[in-house]
Amino acid sequence: MDHTRRVYNDVFEMLPGPENPSPLVRINAMSVPGATLYAKLEWMNPFGSVKDRAAWAMIRELERDGRLTQERGIVEPTSGNTGLSLAAMASARGYRSRMVVPNKVPLEKKVLLKIAGADLDVINDNLCPSPGMGDGSIGLAKTHARAQPDKYAMPNQYENEANARAHMETTGPELWRQSDGKISHLFVSLGTCGTATGCARFFRERNPDVKVVAVQPSEGHDVPGLRNKSELHVSALFDESLLDEVMEIEHELAYTRALDLSRREGLLAGPSSGLIYEGARRYAERDPGAVPFGVMIFCDNIFKYVSNMIKHMPELAEGTTA
Amino acid sequence: MADYANPKVLVTTDWVQEHLNDPKIRLVEVDVDTKAFDAGHIPGAVGFNWQTQLQDQLRRDIITKDNFEKLIGSAGIKRDDTVVLYGDNNNWFAAYAFWLFKIYTHEDVRLMNGGRAKWLAEEQRPLTVEATKVTPVEYKVDQVNTDLRAQVGEVLEGIRSGVKLIDVRSPDEFSGKVIAPPGMNETAQRGGHIPSAASVPWATAVNQDGTFKSADELREIYFKKAGVQPDKPVIAYCRIGERSSHSWFVLKYLLGVEQVKNYDGSWTEYGNLVGVPIER
Ligand SMILES: Cc1ncc(COP(=O)(O)O)c(C=O)c1O
């Protein structure tokens, strides 16, 4: 494997790590006076998102434990990105996969899962939220895994420590090296909370002065992969004590800022990146000079959200037919 | 602590596991999302689809006595069997099926407290995709108990005569801000609620884990706060009659309110009627 020439024996060699970090790109047109912000472009990972890291760590652990075989594949609840990484990895390694997604996940992601070779269960997770736990996509995936243990193993990104560990072992060390130890702030989003918890654990050990700031959407959002704080109880990896601050941003801005990033920075960032940018911007503006080296995790790009973008900005569809 | 009025109708997940091999105990799963049953169910359970099996397929109505007899007989359930219902979404449609079984006067019907979510949350509980082998039987309904069901005439009459109406939908449906919860197909022309109805969302009756609250807590909610009088007539309604079956079950079996009816036409009937009074 030779990362300088970028010639690889298989797609797995391209997965990120301290020797092959995802790129850090400085924000220019949309910068905040007195602050330096970098975006870590996770969509440059081979399967297109930050979730390559968790997916790979979980698959390798299942393989190590002998739980994946020609007969036994993977079932996982997903808002799309983890599923896409898992499905593509599973297909390339000869395992079956089945992904359970909430209906509100954009069509692009559902179709991508099928393209990557997954069987798809789409379920209406939009019912009045029931106070009981266990229905919905997580419940259905658990049902598959328990009813057919010979056919499915469930990585369960929401509870799997390997998810956080992936970030402790890759994202954190990459950032440390890429910034020459100068990183002062890390801005993350909260979904499974693997990114937040794993990176924060790394920095608590390496340099506890690094501030870890989480940015979450306001209630009623439609940003796949993210949870409002009121929904975080399903994320066993959520550990608020590791976070210096949790900011809430009006969820509509996820899409507006994503558009700005495309048009002004040339960064074709997805909505969770848009939201994180807005959080980082406000944080940096609040206290000029306080963010000498801030990094934002840009989880994925805008390609999978065309239908959502049109929903939020119908004018984007204008003039698209002859 | 005072007990439920009819503790026998509620069974625990432990009880169900202990009775998995009891041929007189018949498990029936009824879900909002019918994918759940196919993905895995409690060993020995049969699944009913609320849309295609518990409704009349031509008129808007519950299944007829004849069709109920055919359905239950084809599931191999005998008239003297103990039927234990469970399902997703806090037993919404399991409670609806419970109500149907009671309309067709099946004697011993019970609900598994906490539903499929509780079963799933408990690691040691088995699930299977294996179809349950059933031997069809002749199932005969000797009596129909229409007292459990309110129809629209009775509801309109009830507004006038002061029957206690309980609206179990969400606060936003009650206020007319939305006509149905997001993503639901069945809606109405108008939003709001039936005049004089008290708002007691169905979810106020359950704990975090989906089990029913204690009798004392339920009494506080329905008798003290909502003003239900246990010896007076009550009508519960929601949107299509499933969430109100859940509250109907609480009122009738856990609190012992004798004269409680489920208005299964609910808002998808009432909110479409021409000329009836609506409050917001
Ligand atoms: C687009 C996107 N952004 C952010 C996240 C959140 O990352 P994490 O699950 O590590 O908290 C996810 C996770 O699914 C995601 O898909």
Side-chain angles (χ1 to χ4, degrees):
Chain A
M1 175 160 51
D2 177 354
H3 288 305
T4 53
R5 286 171 56 221
R6 307 208 72 183
V7 177
Y8 299 102
N9 289 315
D10 64 29
V11 68
F12 299 102
E13 291 186 352
M14 287 173 65
L15 282 158
E19 304 304 319
N20 183 35
S22 61
L24 269 195
V25 179
R26 204 182 67 213
I27 297 296
N28 299 299
M30 290 169 72
S31 64
V32 180
T36 306
L37 290 175
Y38 283 85
K40 188 161 174 66
L41 305 191
E42 290 294 305
W43 65 75
M44 301 298 283
N45 296 333
F47 306 100
S49 81
V50 68
K51 304 312 293 236
D52 279 12
R53 300 173 189 270
W56 182 233
M58 293 190 297
I59 283 206
R60 270 189 313 174
E61 191 172 81
L62 287 173
E63 285 181 338
R64 218 175 297 129
D65 297 345
R67 295 184 60 212
L68 291 178
T69 61
Q70 291 324 85
E71 290 74 40
R72 193 192 296 117
I74 285 170
V75 65
E76 182 75 350
T78 171
S79 63
N81 279 335
T82 305
L84 185 55
S85 302
L86 284 173
M89 290 175 189
S91 295
R93 292 167 102 77
Y95 313 125
R96 82 173 88 232
S97 70
R98 178 168 201 140
M99 300 300 159
V100 186
V101 302
N103 193 31
K104 56 189 168 191
V105 163
L107 176 70
E108 292 90 324
K109 286 190 169 181
K110 294 174 190 161
V111 177
L112 279 166
L113 287 169
K114 292 175 71 176
I115 289 174
D119 292 326
L120 199 59
D121 279 324
V122 178
I123 76 159
N124 203 337
D125 234 351
N126 258 348
L127 287 166
C128 336
S130 46
M133 62 297 115
D135 291 323
S137 33
I138 299 177
L140 191 62
K142 278 191 177 163
T143 299
H144 282 302
R146 196 177 307 165
Q148 295 181 278
D150 48 337
K151 215 170 154 188
Y152 296 116
M154 177 171 164
N156 196 357
Q157 54 174 329
Y158 297 98
E159 293 171 20
N160 194 331
E161 275 293 325
N163 174 358
R165 209 179 321 120
H167 294 281
M168 235 173 111
E169 289 168 4
T170 65
T171 321
E174 285 172 36
L175 287 167
W176 189 252
R177 259 176 92 160
Q178 287 173 296
S179 72
D180 241 341
K182 291 200 199 74
I183 179 169
S184 64
H185 292 74
L186 180 66
F187 297 93
V188 294
S189 52
L190 300 173
T192 64
C193 301
T195 310
T197 297
C199 290
R201 280 186 192 150
F202 172 83
F203 287 118
R204 286 291 169 271
E205 217 167 85
R206 191 38 83 88
N207 177 7
D209 290 339
V210 176
K211 301 254 183 293
V212 180
V213 178
V215 185
Q216 49 147 198
S218 55
E219 249 174 292
H221 70 88
D222 64 343
V223 187
L226 300 197
R227 290 179 190 281
N228 177 267
K229 209 156 143 196
S230 65
E231 309 163 310
L232 279 173
H233 60 277
V234 297
S235 303
L237 303 174
F238 178 56
D239 181 353
E240 201 169 1
S241 72
L242 289 170
L243 303 174
D244 291 277
E245 188 173 335
V246 180
M247 302 176 73
E248 186 175 274
I249 303 290
E250 308 80 85
H251 62 84
E252 300 82 4
L253 283 172
Y255 291 91
T256 336
R257 291 295 172 252
L259 189 79
D260 293 342
L261 285 162
S262 286
R263 292 189 173 170
R264 300 183 56 203
E265 290 286 340
L267 295 175
L268 301 179
S272 71
S273 308
L275 197 84
I276 292 179
Y277 167 78
E278 180 62 15
R281 186 185 71 76
R282 287 187 198 181
Y283 185 101
E285 277 188 351
R286 210 166 61 189
D287 188 2
V291 185
F293 200 118
V295 176
M296 305 172 288
I297 303 291
F298 276 15
C299 304
D300 64 357
N301 62 21
I302 196 71
F303 298 172
K304 302 165 204 166
Y305 303 95
V306 171
S307 57
N308 277 22
M309 287 297 278
I310 289 172
K311 232 180 278 166
H312 284 266
M313 302 159 197
E315 65 277 13
L316 288 173
E318 280 168 23
T320 53
T321 47
Chain B
M1 190 178 87
D3 240 335
Y4 294 138
N6 293 283
K8 207 188 104 184
V9 297
L10 207 55
V11 297
T12 63
T13 47
D14 273 337
W15 186 94
V16 170
Q17 183 139 7
E18 280 158 24
H19 290 84
L20 282 181
N21 297 313
D22 186 335
K24 293 304 285 176
I25 310 263
R26 305 302 310 278
L27 295 166
V28 178
E29 175 165 342
V30 192
D31 298 314
V32 175
D33 186 340
T34 48
K35 275 193 200 79
F37 180 84
D38 297 332
H41 50 263
I42 302 179
V46 294
F48 290 157
N49 183 312
W50 68 273
Q51 281 167 312
T52 59
Q53 292 179 295
L54 300 182
Q55 314 276 326
D56 191 280
Q57 294 301 291
L58 181 58
R59 332 186 300 163
R60 181 173 173 203
D61 210 339
I62 57 173
I63 45 167
T64 60
K65 175 171 154 296
D66 279 0
N67 283 332
F68 185 80
E69 288 173 338
K70 278 193 205 118
L71 175 69
I72 306 306
S74 69
I77 296 172
K78 302 191 195 72
R79 192 73 175 150
D80 63 348
D81 280 345
T82 296
V83 171
V84 176
L85 290 151
Y86 73 97
D88 64 2
N89 265 278
N90 281 276
N91 282 330
W92 283 2
F93 276 99
Y96 180 84
F98 185 105
W99 174 72
L100 275 181
F101 269 98
K102 283 302 182 187
I103 286 180
Y104 291 121
T105 61
H106 191 96
E107 178 68 28
D108 191 355
V109 193
R110 311 182 191 196
L111 211 52
M112 184 174 85
N113 204 3
R116 82 171 273 133
K118 183 153 198 291
W119 187 268
L120 194 59
E122 296 166 349
E123 300 277 329
Q124 75 282 14
R125 308 283 182 213
L127 288 172
T128 183
V129 288
E130 230 168 89
T132 299
K133 288 182 198 74
V134 294
T135 318
V137 295
E138 182 91 359
Y139 182 95
K140 277 284 163 219
V141 171
D142 37 37
Q143 221 186 333
V144 180
N145 184 0
T146 51
D147 284 351
L148 306 179
R149 185 185 200 197
Q151 293 192 292
V152 67
E154 203 179 337
V155 173
L156 291 166
E157 179 52 39
I159 303 173
R160 272 171 239 130
S161 62
V163 168
K164 187 79 193 173
L165 288 161
I166 300 289
D167 185 318
V168 316
R169 298 173 302 161
S170 60
D172 280 354
E173 292 170 274
F174 184 79
S175 70
K177 188 175 162 198
V178 301
I179 293 181
M184 299 283 91
N185 298 322
E186 310 85 0
T187 68
Q189 292 291 319
R190 290 288 186 267
H193 59 263
I194 303 176
S196 80
S199 169
V200 189
W202 67 275
T204 50
V206 297
N207 295 311
Q208 269 291 307
D209 70 351
T211 56
F212 289 104
K213 286 185 180 162
S214 71
D216 285 342
E217 289 169 300
L218 293 173
R219 265 187 216 101
E220 174 77 21
I221 293 163
Y222 291 93
F223 295 167
K224 281 235 183 80
K225 292 209 187 109
V228 169
Q229 292 175 279
D231 53 347
K232 294 274 168 60
V234 181
I235 295 174
Y237 75 93
C238 60
R239 183 180 54 94
I240 53 172
E242 86 292 32
R243 286 176 288 176
S244 51
S245 304
H246 186 272
S247 300
W248 167 86
F249 174 87
V250 170
L251 286 160
K252 187 162 182 79
Y253 290 93
L254 304 185
L255 292 178
V257 177
E258 279 301 324
Q259 305 173 64
V260 57
K261 300 188 180 195
N262 180 27
Y263 170 36
D264 59 306
S266 277
W267 197 256
T268 47
E269 176 174 48
Y270 197 93
N272 283 317
L273 289 176
V274 177
V276 297
I278 286 179
E279 270 176 11
R280 283 205 178 164

